Amino acid sequence: QLQLQESGPGLVKPSETLSLTCTVSGDSISSGGDHWGWIRQAPGKGLQWIGNFFHGGSTVYNPSLGGRVTISADTSKNHFSLQLNSVIAADTAIYYCGRHPPYAPFNYWGQGILVIVSS
Amino acid sequence: DIQMTQSPSSVSASVGDRVTITCRASQDIGSRLGWYQQKPGKAPNLLIYGASSLQSGVPSRFSGSGSGTGFTLTISSLQPEDSATYYCQQINAFPLTFGGGTKVEIK
């Protein structure tokens, strides 16, 4: 059974970099054609897609985040990571990682991790 | 970006009622649409993919329909455990986008 688990600091200071890792078990992130992505949800708000990592190392990001996003993968550890630079209070959210087939919705999600941006 | 507009934003209905939620895309997305259910404190759970295909393990009272720019999620007979927020998502083009959500409450 595929499982995803987010980890990282729960508190980040404004202007610093938010760094999270999604550890995957039950499947290899380097096999198949599925996409691995990050989604976030501000408190009491809706869902926002952040970006995806594809097999082969390609990435695609949400332009609304102004080029502050980097997603990378470590296939030896079977995890992929999110970096969001120059964070502000509006980046406070629950961050989820997930997997989805091409042109299909996310069928696996992590449990989510709350990240608060505050000094 | 493809804008996804959900309506209503909230609905209150009785157990056994039929509930319909609408999602409209700002451009043609074919059948590349999914529906999720999210309960407080939990990650979203996939209900429908391909606009009308029921995800494994999801009760048959949930159904989806539509194509192009107009889609619906129907709960044929509302149950207490269906109290949640529902989201649509288009997977036709990047950036992937979600509807604003519909909160379903039990009267």
Side-chain angles (χ1 to χ4, degrees):
Chain A
Q1 175 73 357
L2 179 68
Q3 291 187 318
L4 300 91
Q5 177 71 59
E6 304 88 351
S7 60
L11 180 65
V12 181
K13 290 181 169 56
S15 80
E16 295 190 344
T17 297
L18 179 159
S19 296
L20 298 174
T21 295
C22 180
T23 301
V24 178
S25 58
D27 193 10
S28 169
I29 65 171
S30 59
S31 67
D34 284 346
H35 300 183
W36 305 87
W38 290 95
I39 308 98
R40 72 180 184 178
Q41 185 171 36
K45 302 296 184 182
L47 300 163
Q48 182 184 33
W49 173 76
I50 298 170
N52 273 12
F53 155 76
F54 303 84
H55 174 58
S58 298
T59 53
V60 60
Y61 305 127
N62 193 328
S64 71
L65 292 167
R68 298 187 293 133
V69 178
T70 302
I71 296 174
S72 59
D74 186 334
T75 55
S76 67
K77 296 180 180 178
N78 210 40
H79 71 211
F80 60 103
S81 299
L82 168 69
Q83 286 195 313
L84 181 64
N85 301 326
S86 305
V87 296
I88 59 176
D91 293 315
T92 293
I94 297 171
Y95 286 76
Y96 297 100
C97 59
R99 188 191 83 170
H100 70 93
Y103 299 112
F106 285 91
N107 52 1
Y108 288 95
W109 294 69
Q111 65 183 25
I113 183 169
L114 174 63
V115 179
I116 297 172
V117 177
S118 175
S119 54
Chain B
D1 298 6
I2 299 174
Q3 307 302 317
M4 305 301 293
T5 304
Q6 266 183 256
S7 62
S9 57
S10 65
V11 58
S12 181
S14 300
V15 172
D17 282 354
R18 183 182 187 89
V19 173
T20 299
I21 299 168
T22 297
C23 181
R24 186 157 302 277
S26 62
Q27 62 189 76
D28 190 339
I29 61 169
S31 295
R32 292 172 174 171
L33 182 111
W35 288 98
Y36 302 93
Q37 177 192 67
Q38 186 180 32
K39 296 184 177 180
K42 300 293 187 181
N45 181 52
L46 180 63
L47 300 175
I48 301 288
Y49 63 94
S52 60
S53 296
L54 194 67
Q55 177 71 359
S56 176
V58 174
S60 59
R61 63 181 178 273
F62 291 94
S63 65
S65 64
S67 67
T69 61
F71 304 88
T72 59
L73 173 71
T74 299
I75 309 172
S76 62
S77 178
L78 190 67
Q79 299 302 302
E81 61 266 32
D82 300 335
S83 178
T85 301
Y86 295 81
Y87 294 94
C88 60
Q89 182 204 6
Q90 66 82 17
I91 330 91
N92 185 64
F94 293 110
L96 306 182
T97 47
F98 293 86
T102 297
K103 187 172 185 178
V104 175
E105 296 178 322
I106 310 295
K107 281 182 183 175

